[in-house]
Structure formats: C-alpha cells, structure tokens
Amino acid sequence: MAGQDNLEVQQLNWYHGDITRHHAEALLMSNGVDGSYLLRDSASCKGEYSLSCRCADSVKHFQIGRDQNQQYTFGMGKFTSLNEFIQHFENKPLIGGDSGVLTLLKYPYPRNVDEPACYEKVRVHAEWGKNRATTENTSEGHIQSNWKTRWFVLFRHELKYYKSKGDKEPIRVLDLENCHEVAKEDSVGKANCFRIVMPSRTFYCFANSSQEAEEWITMLKWKLVSVLRS
C-alpha cells in the first residue's frame, strides 16, 4: 500500500488504505454526512492518495500527490503534512469537480467503523465514457452493435441509467428483484464486459478497466443475494 512507508499516514484514523472508489462511496453514503471525508490509496497513481468527500447526495474524489521534497500537493497548493492540508480547507470551500458544488471538509470518517451490512441507501455513480458503454439484446438474441455512453445509478434494488449525468428522468429502470443473473461476458468482442440478464432482455455493459468491471459485478451480485434474502 502507498501508506506503508509513511508513518504520518498510518497514524491518521481516517486513512482507509487500499479500499476502492466504490467502497469509499458506500461507506460515506451509508454512514457519513455532508462534509464527511476519508483518505485512501490512489488506484491510478502508485504512491499517491485520493481524498473522498461526501457532497450532499454524491461523493467527490480528489487526487493528492507528493513532490520531490515530499510535500503533499493538491492543485497548485503544497502542504508539509496532511493535517495542514485539512486545516487549510476547513474554512475554505473545496470545489467538487465540474459541477461547481462547494464542499467543506468537516468530519473525518474513521477506519474503525464497520462497513455497512448492506448498500440499501447507497448510490453508486459510474459515467461510462467513450470506451465505456451499454447496449442490449432482444429476446430473439440479436445483439446491437451501437454501444452508447450512459450514466448509471444503483439505489436500493433499482439500477437506473440516464442518457447523461444531470438528467432528471432515467431512460430505463432495471428492477434487480427480477434479475436472473449478473456475470462476466466474453462473447461480445469487448474487454471488461459483463451482462445483466433480465426477464425480457439481456443488457451488456463494459467498463474502463477490469477492476471497475469486477467492482460492478461484485456489487450487483451482492445486491441480488440481498434481494433474495429480503
């Protein structure tokens, strides 16, 4: 892990190690409040960190780097310690991505809080871009080739997808109580692909990486099990 050689990071009770982006979102959306935050290892840049912060009904993620002088870097700012970084932003807005929503870092989320037993109130966002899309086949088995970008939201037992982020009405709502199967798919000529089998049709989705695909498959399979138990 990135923090193993950094005593300061290890001593932070809000450092959660190598948990995934989706895991961080689940924790903050289930047990956190607006302004809750945690630190985790960056999945894309080894030796760096990601700060995950709850902002109203979503979670924003910010990259924290290290320069040659071992200072922490965030945008144009430099900080000698992570505590200095947090103190700097406690009274200044932290801009949350392209939306421009302002968030203050208020409540560190400790790692000794157990992961929630279920994700009933967790929204998981995935914007599948140019190389990430979804398509579907008909009951006759014809697979369409026009892969399209969609914005997915998982909430309780419903998987909704929208034409784009910010749309109010979903294109379709998949009720996972009726889902037959979620599994990896290798037959459609796309890497990192998985299928969601519903009664009338099968939806094929592919992610930007094998890790992202596995996270979605794991979470959706877990949801199917929890639906059967309820």
Side-chain angles (χ1 to χ4, degrees):
M1 292 190 303
Q4 287 181 335
D5 298 324
N6 191 323
L7 182 60
E8 180 186 28
V9 172
Q10 289 290 332
Q11 290 176 340
L12 293 174
N13 73 340
W14 43 279
Y15 169 63
H16 289 247
D18 60 351
I19 67 171
T20 67
R21 178 190 183 100
H22 289 162
H23 189 155
E25 291 172 351
L27 291 174
L28 293 172
M29 290 303 296
S30 289
N31 297 337
V33 296
D34 190 20
S36 295
Y37 61 89
L38 61 83
L39 185 73
R40 58 187 176 85
D41 295 340
S42 171
S44 58
C45 299
K46 186 176 181 180
E48 297 187 358
Y49 304 96
S50 292
L51 184 75
S52 300
C53 178
R54 177 165 173 177
C55 177
D57 290 332
S58 65
V59 175
K60 307 297 182 184
H61 305 275
F62 306 93
Q63 194 77 11
I64 301 176
R66 301 291 295 277
D67 65 13
Q68 58 185 4
N69 297 319
Q70 296 303 302
Q71 288 186 310
Y72 295 95
T73 60
F74 180 81
M76 299 298 292
K78 293 187 177 183
F79 307 89
T80 58
S81 70
L82 283 174
N83 283 330
E84 180 184 342
F85 169 81
I86 297 300
Q87 290 171 8
H88 175 77
F89 282 102
E90 279 180 343
N91 297 309
K92 295 184 178 181
L94 184 67
I95 299 177
D98 297 335
S99 65
V101 177
L102 303 182
T103 304
L104 288 176
L105 303 181
K106 297 178 182 178
Y107 311 107
Y109 188 91
R111 61 174 173 264
N112 59 357
V113 175
D114 291 335
E115 182 177 358
C118 68
Y119 293 102
E120 283 302 314
K121 296 182 179 179
V122 177
R123 291 175 172 83
V124 178
H125 298 168
E127 188 169 21
W128 296 349
K130 183 177 180 181
N131 295 322
R132 294 177 286 178
T134 181
T135 188
E136 59 192 49
N137 72 350
T138 66
S139 57
E140 288 78 20
H142 173 66
I143 299 178
Q144 299 178 2
S145 60
N146 56 325
W147 296 79
K148 298 177 181 178
T149 301
R150 293 293 181 254
W151 175 260
F152 283 76
V153 176
L154 176 62
F155 181 58
R156 296 188 177 179
H157 59 84
E158 294 181 336
L159 180 63
K160 301 179 181 181
Y161 66 86
Y162 301 77
K163 184 175 181 180
S164 60
K165 180 180 178 180
D167 286 357
K168 300 299 182 182
E169 296 296 327
I171 296 174
R172 189 183 297 272
V173 178
L174 304 183
D175 187 346
L176 297 180
E177 291 184 334
N178 300 321
C179 182
H180 295 167
E181 180 189 36
V182 175
K184 184 178 180 182
E185 178 61 57
D186 298 319
S187 65
V188 295
K190 291 286 186 181
N192 312 319
C193 187
F194 59 96
R195 64 181 180 271
I196 303 172
V197 182
M198 301 299 291
S200 61
R201 62 184 61 186
T202 298
F203 295 82
Y204 294 91
C205 310
F206 72 96
N208 192 45
S209 66
S210 59
Q211 179 182 350
E212 184 181 4
E214 286 297 329
E215 288 176 2
W216 273 97
I217 292 171
T218 299
M219 188 167 291
L220 290 171
K221 280 186 173 181
W222 184 94
K223 179 59 65 176
L224 296 187
V225 172
S226 67
V227 166
L228 290 175
R229 289 175 178 172
S230 62

mmCIF file of all heavy atoms in Angstrom, residues 5 67 76 80 95 101 103 118-119 124 126 148 152 154 161-163 165 180 186 188 199 209 214 217 219 230:
data_model
loop_
_atom_site.group_PDB
_atom_site.id
_atom_site.type_symbol
_atom_site.label_atom_id
_atom_site.label_comp_id
_atom_site.label_asym_id
_atom_site.label_seq_id
_atom_site.Cartn_x
_atom_site.Cartn_y
_atom_site.Cartn_z
ATOM 1 N N ASP A 5 4.920 3.012 4.026
ATOM 2 C CA ASP A 5 6.197 3.639 4.340
ATOM 3 C C ASP A 5 6.017 5.056 4.862
ATOM 4 O O ASP A 5 6.967 5.808 4.981
ATOM 5 C CB ASP A 5 7.089 3.660 3.088
ATOM 6 C CG ASP A 5 7.410 2.259 2.603
ATOM 7 O OD1 ASP A 5 7.574 1.376 3.460
ATOM 8 O OD2 ASP A 5 7.481 2.062 1.383
ATOM 9 N N ASP A 67 5.506 15.722 -4.033
ATOM 10 C CA ASP A 67 6.545 16.259 -4.899
ATOM 11 C C ASP A 67 7.909 15.731 -4.474
ATOM 12 O O ASP A 67 8.018 14.900 -3.559
ATOM 13 C CB ASP A 67 6.505 17.790 -4.914
ATOM 14 C CG ASP A 67 6.834 18.407 -3.554
ATOM 15 O OD1 ASP A 67 7.328 17.677 -2.656
ATOM 16 O OD2 ASP A 67 6.604 19.613 -3.389
ATOM 17 N N MET A 76 -2.556 23.633 -7.192
ATOM 18 C CA MET A 76 -1.376 24.489 -7.121
ATOM 19 C C MET A 76 -0.839 24.608 -5.700
ATOM 20 O O MET A 76 0.212 25.199 -5.473
ATOM 21 C CB MET A 76 -1.716 25.888 -7.651
ATOM 22 C CG MET A 76 -2.169 25.908 -9.107
ATOM 23 S SD MET A 76 -0.885 25.318 -10.235
ATOM 24 C CE MET A 76 0.311 26.652 -10.073
ATOM 25 N N THR A 80 2.970 20.716 4.028
ATOM 26 C CA THR A 80 4.014 19.900 4.644
ATOM 27 C C THR A 80 3.446 18.653 5.306
ATOM 28 O O THR A 80 4.167 17.690 5.550
ATOM 29 C CB THR A 80 4.792 20.718 5.695
ATOM 30 O OG1 THR A 80 3.869 21.207 6.682
ATOM 31 C CG2 THR A 80 5.498 21.895 5.035
ATOM 32 N N ILE A 95 -13.753 22.866 -4.072
ATOM 33 C CA ILE A 95 -14.606 22.800 -5.251
ATOM 34 C C ILE A 95 -14.712 21.362 -5.726
ATOM 35 O O ILE A 95 -13.706 20.703 -5.967
ATOM 36 C CB ILE A 95 -14.060 23.700 -6.375
ATOM 37 C CG1 ILE A 95 -14.039 25.157 -5.904
ATOM 38 C CG2 ILE A 95 -14.908 23.567 -7.632
ATOM 39 C CD1 ILE A 95 -13.454 26.115 -6.913
ATOM 40 N N VAL A 101 -20.109 22.472 -7.234
ATOM 41 C CA VAL A 101 -20.665 22.383 -5.890
ATOM 42 C C VAL A 101 -19.541 22.539 -4.874
ATOM 43 O O VAL A 101 -18.497 21.905 -4.989
ATOM 44 C CB VAL A 101 -21.380 21.030 -5.675
ATOM 45 C CG1 VAL A 101 -21.882 20.914 -4.242
ATOM 46 C CG2 VAL A 101 -22.537 20.896 -6.650
ATOM 47 N N THR A 103 -17.835 22.193 -1.174
ATOM 48 C CA THR A 103 -17.905 21.297 -0.025
ATOM 49 C C THR A 103 -16.802 21.632 0.966
ATOM 50 O O THR A 103 -15.660 21.850 0.571
ATOM 51 C CB THR A 103 -17.738 19.829 -0.463
ATOM 52 O OG1 THR A 103 -18.715 19.522 -1.444
ATOM 53 C CG2 THR A 103 -17.904 18.893 0.725
ATOM 54 N N CYS A 118 -25.319 -3.603 4.408
ATOM 55 C CA CYS A 118 -25.960 -3.592 3.101
ATOM 56 C C CYS A 118 -25.812 -2.211 2.485
ATOM 57 O O CYS A 118 -25.434 -1.262 3.150
ATOM 58 C CB CYS A 118 -27.438 -3.966 3.202
ATOM 59 S SG CYS A 118 -28.448 -2.730 4.051
ATOM 60 N N TYR A 119 -26.112 -2.123 1.201
ATOM 61 C CA TYR A 119 -25.978 -0.862 0.480
ATOM 62 C C TYR A 119 -27.350 -0.276 0.154
ATOM 63 O O TYR A 119 -27.539 0.366 -0.856
ATOM 64 C CB TYR A 119 -25.220 -1.097 -0.836
ATOM 65 C CG TYR A 119 -23.779 -1.490 -0.662
ATOM 66 C CD1 TYR A 119 -23.391 -2.812 -0.805
ATOM 67 C CD2 TYR A 119 -22.810 -0.551 -0.362
ATOM 68 C CE1 TYR A 119 -22.072 -3.185 -0.654
ATOM 69 C CE2 TYR A 119 -21.485 -0.924 -0.215
ATOM 70 C CZ TYR A 119 -21.122 -2.242 -0.363
ATOM 71 O OH TYR A 119 -19.818 -2.593 -0.215
ATOM 72 N N VAL A 124 -24.414 4.501 -6.355
ATOM 73 C CA VAL A 124 -23.112 4.285 -6.972
ATOM 74 C C VAL A 124 -23.159 4.860 -8.376
ATOM 75 O O VAL A 124 -23.955 4.442 -9.202
ATOM 76 C CB VAL A 124 -22.759 2.784 -7.026
ATOM 77 C CG1 VAL A 124 -21.419 2.597 -7.716
ATOM 78 C CG2 VAL A 124 -22.701 2.214 -5.621
ATOM 79 N N ALA A 126 -21.462 5.755 -12.055
ATOM 80 C CA ALA A 126 -20.415 5.368 -12.999
ATOM 81 C C ALA A 126 -20.724 6.015 -14.334
ATOM 82 O O ALA A 126 -21.738 5.726 -14.952
ATOM 83 C CB ALA A 126 -20.345 3.858 -13.158
ATOM 84 N N LYS A 148 -23.377 2.789 -26.478
ATOM 85 C CA LYS A 148 -23.654 4.180 -26.142
ATOM 86 C C LYS A 148 -23.242 4.482 -24.703
ATOM 87 O O LYS A 148 -23.303 3.627 -23.834
ATOM 88 C CB LYS A 148 -25.146 4.480 -26.317
ATOM 89 C CG LYS A 148 -25.647 4.300 -27.745
ATOM 90 C CD LYS A 148 -27.140 4.539 -27.835
ATOM 91 C CE LYS A 148 -27.640 4.326 -29.258
ATOM 92 N NZ LYS A 148 -29.106 4.510 -29.362
ATOM 93 N N PHE A 152 -25.023 5.605 -14.877
ATOM 94 C CA PHE A 152 -25.712 4.595 -14.077
ATOM 95 C C PHE A 152 -25.791 4.998 -12.612
ATOM 96 O O PHE A 152 -24.839 5.535 -12.057
ATOM 97 C CB PHE A 152 -24.985 3.249 -14.176
ATOM 98 C CG PHE A 152 -25.244 2.516 -15.460
ATOM 99 C CD1 PHE A 152 -24.631 2.913 -16.633
ATOM 100 C CD2 PHE A 152 -26.100 1.434 -15.491
ATOM 101 C CE1 PHE A 152 -24.869 2.243 -17.815
ATOM 102 C CE2 PHE A 152 -26.342 0.751 -16.668
ATOM 103 C CZ PHE A 152 -25.730 1.158 -17.831
ATOM 104 N N LEU A 154 -27.101 3.133 -8.944
ATOM 105 C CA LEU A 154 -27.645 1.995 -8.208
ATOM 106 C C LEU A 154 -28.209 2.503 -6.895
ATOM 107 O O LEU A 154 -27.495 3.090 -6.082
ATOM 108 C CB LEU A 154 -26.545 0.963 -7.941
ATOM 109 C CG LEU A 154 -26.942 -0.244 -7.082
ATOM 110 C CD1 LEU A 154 -28.042 -1.047 -7.761
ATOM 111 C CD2 LEU A 154 -25.729 -1.114 -6.804
ATOM 112 N N TYR A 161 -30.480 3.961 -15.469
ATOM 113 C CA TYR A 161 -29.480 4.586 -16.323
ATOM 114 C C TYR A 161 -30.088 5.739 -17.107
ATOM 115 O O TYR A 161 -31.253 5.720 -17.488
ATOM 116 C CB TYR A 161 -28.757 3.580 -17.216
ATOM 117 C CG TYR A 161 -29.541 2.878 -18.287
ATOM 118 C CD1 TYR A 161 -29.719 3.449 -19.543
ATOM 119 C CD2 TYR A 161 -30.045 1.598 -18.071
ATOM 120 C CE1 TYR A 161 -30.391 2.784 -20.543
ATOM 121 C CE2 TYR A 161 -30.720 0.916 -19.067
ATOM 122 C CZ TYR A 161 -30.891 1.517 -20.305
ATOM 123 O OH TYR A 161 -31.562 0.848 -21.294
ATOM 124 N N TYR A 162 -29.248 6.769 -17.268
ATOM 125 C CA TYR A 162 -29.655 8.038 -17.853
ATOM 126 C C TYR A 162 -28.835 8.307 -19.110
ATOM 127 O O TYR A 162 -27.727 7.794 -19.263
ATOM 128 C CB TYR A 162 -29.426 9.179 -16.860
ATOM 129 C CG TYR A 162 -30.167 9.032 -15.553
ATOM 130 C CD1 TYR A 162 -29.705 8.160 -14.568
ATOM 131 C CD2 TYR A 162 -31.317 9.768 -15.299
ATOM 132 C CE1 TYR A 162 -30.381 8.023 -13.361
ATOM 133 C CE2 TYR A 162 -31.995 9.642 -14.090
ATOM 134 C CZ TYR A 162 -31.522 8.762 -13.127
ATOM 135 O OH TYR A 162 -32.190 8.631 -11.933
ATOM 136 N N LYS A 163 -29.371 9.135 -19.978
ATOM 137 C CA LYS A 163 -28.639 9.487 -21.191
ATOM 138 C C LYS A 163 -27.350 10.205 -20.847
ATOM 139 O O LYS A 163 -26.305 9.984 -21.464
ATOM 140 C CB LYS A 163 -29.504 10.357 -22.106
ATOM 141 C CG LYS A 163 -28.839 10.673 -23.440
ATOM 142 C CD LYS A 163 -29.771 11.440 -24.362
ATOM 143 C CE LYS A 163 -29.097 11.716 -25.703
ATOM 144 N NZ LYS A 163 -29.996 12.465 -26.617
ATOM 145 N N LYS A 165 -25.228 12.527 -17.336
ATOM 146 C CA LYS A 165 -25.229 12.982 -15.952
ATOM 147 C C LYS A 165 -26.044 14.265 -15.836
ATOM 148 O O LYS A 165 -25.938 15.166 -16.657
ATOM 149 C CB LYS A 165 -23.788 13.231 -15.496
ATOM 150 C CG LYS A 165 -23.653 13.703 -14.064
ATOM 151 C CD LYS A 165 -22.194 13.921 -13.726
ATOM 152 C CE LYS A 165 -22.033 14.439 -12.305
ATOM 153 N NZ LYS A 165 -20.609 14.661 -11.960
ATOM 154 N N HIS A 180 -32.110 -12.143 -13.351
ATOM 155 C CA HIS A 180 -31.778 -13.563 -13.314
ATOM 156 C C HIS A 180 -30.298 -13.812 -13.062
ATOM 157 O O HIS A 180 -29.928 -14.794 -12.423
ATOM 158 C CB HIS A 180 -32.173 -14.227 -14.641
ATOM 159 C CG HIS A 180 -33.645 -14.235 -14.884
ATOM 160 N ND1 HIS A 180 -34.205 -14.530 -16.110
ATOM 161 C CD2 HIS A 180 -34.692 -13.973 -14.063
ATOM 162 C CE1 HIS A 180 -35.520 -14.452 -16.036
ATOM 163 N NE2 HIS A 180 -35.837 -14.110 -14.805
ATOM 164 N N ASP A 186 -17.734 -12.660 -22.260
ATOM 165 C CA ASP A 186 -16.574 -12.671 -23.158
ATOM 166 C C ASP A 186 -16.945 -12.831 -24.627
ATOM 167 O O ASP A 186 -16.059 -12.903 -25.481
ATOM 168 C CB ASP A 186 -15.622 -13.810 -22.769
ATOM 169 C CG ASP A 186 -15.054 -13.643 -21.368
ATOM 170 O OD1 ASP A 186 -14.711 -12.503 -21.007
ATOM 171 O OD2 ASP A 186 -14.973 -14.651 -20.638
ATOM 172 N N VAL A 188 -18.923 -10.839 -26.697
ATOM 173 C CA VAL A 188 -19.394 -9.705 -27.496
ATOM 174 C C VAL A 188 -18.255 -8.881 -28.091
ATOM 175 O O VAL A 188 -18.484 -7.818 -28.662
ATOM 176 C CB VAL A 188 -20.314 -8.786 -26.657
ATOM 177 C CG1 VAL A 188 -21.578 -9.519 -26.267
ATOM 178 C CG2 VAL A 188 -19.589 -8.266 -25.425
ATOM 179 N N PRO A 199 -35.740 -10.505 -17.387
ATOM 180 C CA PRO A 199 -36.706 -11.439 -17.977
ATOM 181 C C PRO A 199 -36.899 -11.281 -19.483
ATOM 182 O O PRO A 199 -36.999 -12.276 -20.204
ATOM 183 C CB PRO A 199 -38.001 -11.117 -17.218
ATOM 184 C CG PRO A 199 -37.541 -10.595 -15.901
ATOM 185 C CD PRO A 199 -36.296 -9.813 -16.202
ATOM 186 N N SER A 209 -11.942 -0.539 -17.059
ATOM 187 C CA SER A 209 -10.859 -1.400 -16.594
ATOM 188 C C SER A 209 -11.453 -2.687 -16.048
ATOM 189 O O SER A 209 -12.644 -2.752 -15.724
ATOM 190 C CB SER A 209 -10.040 -0.706 -15.500
ATOM 191 O OG SER A 209 -10.825 -0.521 -14.334
ATOM 192 N N GLU A 214 -15.097 -5.666 -12.310
ATOM 193 C CA GLU A 214 -15.233 -6.595 -11.192
ATOM 194 C C GLU A 214 -15.977 -5.954 -10.028
ATOM 195 O O GLU A 214 -16.761 -6.615 -9.338
ATOM 196 C CB GLU A 214 -13.849 -7.072 -10.733
ATOM 197 C CG GLU A 214 -13.190 -8.067 -11.675
ATOM 198 C CD GLU A 214 -13.985 -9.356 -11.804
ATOM 199 O OE1 GLU A 214 -14.652 -9.748 -10.829
ATOM 200 O OE2 GLU A 214 -13.947 -9.966 -12.889
ATOM 201 N N ILE A 217 -19.666 -6.015 -10.955
ATOM 202 C CA ILE A 217 -20.188 -7.380 -10.887
ATOM 203 C C ILE A 217 -20.370 -7.809 -9.436
ATOM 204 O O ILE A 217 -21.408 -8.362 -9.055
ATOM 205 C CB ILE A 217 -19.246 -8.354 -11.623
ATOM 206 C CG1 ILE A 217 -19.268 -8.075 -13.127
ATOM 207 C CG2 ILE A 217 -19.653 -9.805 -11.364
ATOM 208 C CD1 ILE A 217 -18.206 -8.831 -13.909
ATOM 209 N N MET A 219 -20.733 -5.918 -6.716
ATOM 210 C CA MET A 219 -21.788 -5.179 -6.036
ATOM 211 C C MET A 219 -23.176 -5.611 -6.506
ATOM 212 O O MET A 219 -24.100 -5.782 -5.704
ATOM 213 C CB MET A 219 -21.600 -3.675 -6.248
ATOM 214 C CG MET A 219 -22.544 -2.822 -5.422
ATOM 215 S SD MET A 219 -22.076 -1.072 -5.403
ATOM 216 C CE MET A 219 -20.570 -1.145 -4.437
ATOM 217 N N SER A 230 -34.445 -10.821 1.411
ATOM 218 C CA SER A 230 -35.438 -9.894 1.976
ATOM 219 C C SER A 230 -36.856 -10.418 1.810
ATOM 220 O O SER A 230 -37.112 -11.349 1.077
ATOM 221 C CB SER A 230 -35.296 -8.531 1.301
ATOM 222 O OG SER A 230 -35.548 -8.627 -0.087
#
